[in-house]
Amino acid sequence: VVELKPLFELHNVQSFLIVTSKFHTRRSFYVFNAYFESSYDIGIVSADDGVDYDRWWSDSEMIQKIGFEWQKFIWYFFSNKL
């Protein structure tokens, strides 16, 4: 994120689209939005990540993946990184 700002300024970027896995979308959007402080029109799209969001809790690997992502989101939130 930090390395993008000078590049965006150099090329007069007004908006951009983040493409990431579905379970990363929430944290990614908040991190980008917090860093750029509404200077840009930011969109976000999720790519297929192989997670069955209707039954993620029934698979231990998916529980770990989703749980770890929530831990990272909470850490960003409470450490003022967002």
Side-chain angles (χ1 to χ4, degrees):
V1 172
V2 174
E3 295 175 7
L4 291 175
K5 194 170 190 173
L7 184 64
F8 286 176
E9 290 172 352
L10 177 67
H11 295 285
N12 198 28
V13 171
Q14 302 297 313
S15 64
F16 60 92
L17 180 65
I18 302 165
V19 180
T20 187
S21 57
K22 189 170 184 176
F23 68 90
H24 282 134
T25 55
R26 181 185 313 266
R27 183 169 52 99
S28 297
F29 180 77
Y30 283 117
V31 167
F32 275 85
N33 200 44
Y35 181 76
F36 289 117
E37 299 176 339
S38 302
S39 300
Y40 302 92
D41 182 19
I42 303 171
I44 192 160
V45 175
S46 63
D48 183 23
D49 56 15
V51 176
D52 181 356
Y53 289 94
D54 293 328
R55 298 178 41 90
W56 64 267
W57 59 87
S58 65
D59 181 282
S60 61
E61 185 178 330
M62 295 303 114
I63 290 171
Q64 290 176 350
K65 187 180 275 193
I66 300 295
F68 189 53
E69 183 60 26
W70 271 102
Q71 288 174 346
K72 290 186 283 188
F73 181 80
I74 291 167
W75 181 84
Y76 271 89
F77 183 81
F78 286 109
S79 65
N80 294 319
K81 300 290 184 190
L82 297 179

